[in-house]
Amino acid sequence: MLNETEFSQEFAKCLIQKVAGLKIFSVNGLEIQTEFENSNKYKHFLNNCYSEYLRKPEDIEEIFEKYLNTTDSLYKPKETLKISDVLPVIKDERFIQSIIEINPDFEKNHTYEKYNEDLYIFYVEDTETNINYLKQEDFEKLNVKLEELRKIAIQNLSNSVEIEKHGENGFYILLADGNYESSLILLDIWYKENFDVNGEIVIGIPSRDLLIITGKNDSQNLDRISKKIIEINENGDHLVSNKLFEYRNGKFETI
């Protein structure tokens, strides 16, 4: 097993091979700083990548390939943003605070809005090779209001993912494409006709690829969800929330 620094060093070697003209400025734990074309400096944070490796070390080549394809696009000329590529992603306060520690200007430079007291809607550009958080300058070029962008992004999400429901006896899981399961809370699907649960609909979204559903009066399944939330928040990657949410008056609120 590679420790954090060894892992980052191996990733950096692969990155240099993939991006011509790239230099490694420093490697510190799971943080890599690069210099491109002798001027632009970038930081890469491998926390999620390393978490995947720890769970499946035998898949390191596949994991590297996935993240290298994403990283590679950072050094390519930026194409014109298409509003049809904009999708919503759900994050919590922990995400914002962790990013601010790295980039103090993140809040004012990126486009997002509050969903409830714990969750935020961020907007991303989803291309074939990467998911880029929408910056304020990108949002301004779209020439739409934030309320309109939200409607468009949600419609884009609805058009771009196929939702699968699994489970029975008041306990369900929704699957989409592995990136936007938590974003499904924004869709107009939250009716008792779709989810036969005991009481009001309650969900957990511990990570971006997992949305678990049960009913407010179903103590056994609520316990199952709570344990899964704890487990993933301790050992998982791409974390979203450590809370439970109840569907009230057209949106999910923290319990």
Side-chain angles (χ1 to χ4, degrees), residues 163-174 184 187-197 201 213-214 247:
I163 304 172
E164 298 179 7
K165 183 176 75 172
H166 299 268
E168 58 185 357
N169 300 325
F171 184 89
Y172 304 98
I173 293 175
L174 291 188
L184 299 180
L187 298 185
D188 185 24
I189 59 174
W190 299 102
Y191 303 102
K192 296 297 287 288
E193 293 84 356
N194 293 334
F195 304 101
D196 183 16
V197 296
I201 295 173
I213 306 151
T214 191
Y247 194 66

Side-chain angles (χ1 to χ4, degrees), residues 121-167:
I121 305 172
F122 280 81
Y123 295 97
V124 299
E125 176 193 17
D126 190 323
T127 66
E128 291 184 1
T129 59
N130 203 9
I131 296 177
N132 303 308
Y133 283 87
L134 207 64
K135 294 184 177 180
Q136 192 63 30
E137 60 189 70
D138 298 322
F139 169 59
E140 292 171 357
K141 290 177 182 178
L142 292 174
N143 196 29
V144 296
K145 295 181 179 179
L146 189 58
E147 182 180 349
E148 185 179 357
L149 178 66
R150 180 176 181 173
K151 291 179 181 178
I152 293 171
I154 291 174
Q155 187 59 52
N156 290 343
L157 175 67
S158 180
N159 294 338
S160 62
V161 297
E162 293 185 7
I163 304 172
E164 298 179 7
K165 183 176 75 172
H166 299 268

Side-chain angles (χ1 to χ4, degrees), residues 78-90:
K78 188 172 178 60
E79 298 181 358
T80 302
L81 173 64
K82 300 176 184 176
I83 199 166
S84 59
D85 290 335
V86 176
L87 294 173
V89 297
I90 302 297

Side-chain angles (χ1 to χ4, degrees), residues 104-254:
D105 294 327
F106 182 85
E107 280 189 288
K108 68 179 183 181
N109 290 339
H110 287 77
T111 305
Y112 68 98
E113 59 180 308
K114 203 171 182 66
Y115 174 76
N116 62 25
E117 62 183 37
D118 287 294
L119 301 177
Y120 295 81
I121 305 172
F122 280 81
Y123 295 97
V124 299
E125 176 193 17
D126 190 323
T127 66
E128 291 184 1
T129 59
N130 203 9
I131 296 177
N132 303 308
Y133 283 87
L134 207 64
K135 294 184 177 180
Q136 192 63 30
E137 60 189 70
D138 298 322
F139 169 59
E140 292 171 357
K141 290 177 182 178
L142 292 174
N143 196 29
V144 296
K145 295 181 179 179
L146 189 58
E147 182 180 349
E148 185 179 357
L149 178 66
R150 180 176 181 173
K151 291 179 181 178
I152 293 171
I154 291 174
Q155 187 59 52
N156 290 343
L157 175 67
S158 180
N159 294 338
S160 62
V161 297
E162 293 185 7
I163 304 172
E164 298 179 7
K165 183 176 75 172
H166 299 268
E168 58 185 357
N169 300 325
F171 184 89
Y172 304 98
I173 293 175
L174 291 188
L175 300 179
D177 71 341
N179 293 315
Y180 294 101
E181 276 76 356
S182 60
S183 300
L184 299 180
I185 68 172
L186 302 173
L187 298 185
D188 185 24
I189 59 174
W190 299 102
Y191 303 102
K192 296 297 287 288
E193 293 84 356
N194 293 334
F195 304 101
D196 183 16
V197 296
N198 184 3
E200 299 302 317
I201 295 173
V202 172
I203 65 164
I205 42 175
S207 58
R208 72 179 184 182
D209 61 351
L210 183 61
L211 196 161
I212 323 170
I213 306 151
T214 191
K216 187 177 182 180
N217 301 330
D218 191 334
S219 59
Q220 182 176 355
N221 283 325
L222 282 173
D223 186 56
R224 288 177 66 186
I225 293 181
S226 296
K227 288 179 179 177
K228 177 58 72 172
I229 289 173
I230 292 172
E231 175 190 338
I232 291 178
N233 274 269
E234 288 179 350
N235 305 307
D237 53 78
H238 297 99
L239 302 179
V240 173
S241 177
N242 57 6
K243 306 286 180 61
L244 287 171
F245 301 94
E246 177 185 345
Y247 194 66
R248 309 185 204 120
N249 301 317
K251 69 182 295 188
F252 285 97
E253 300 287 359
T254 309

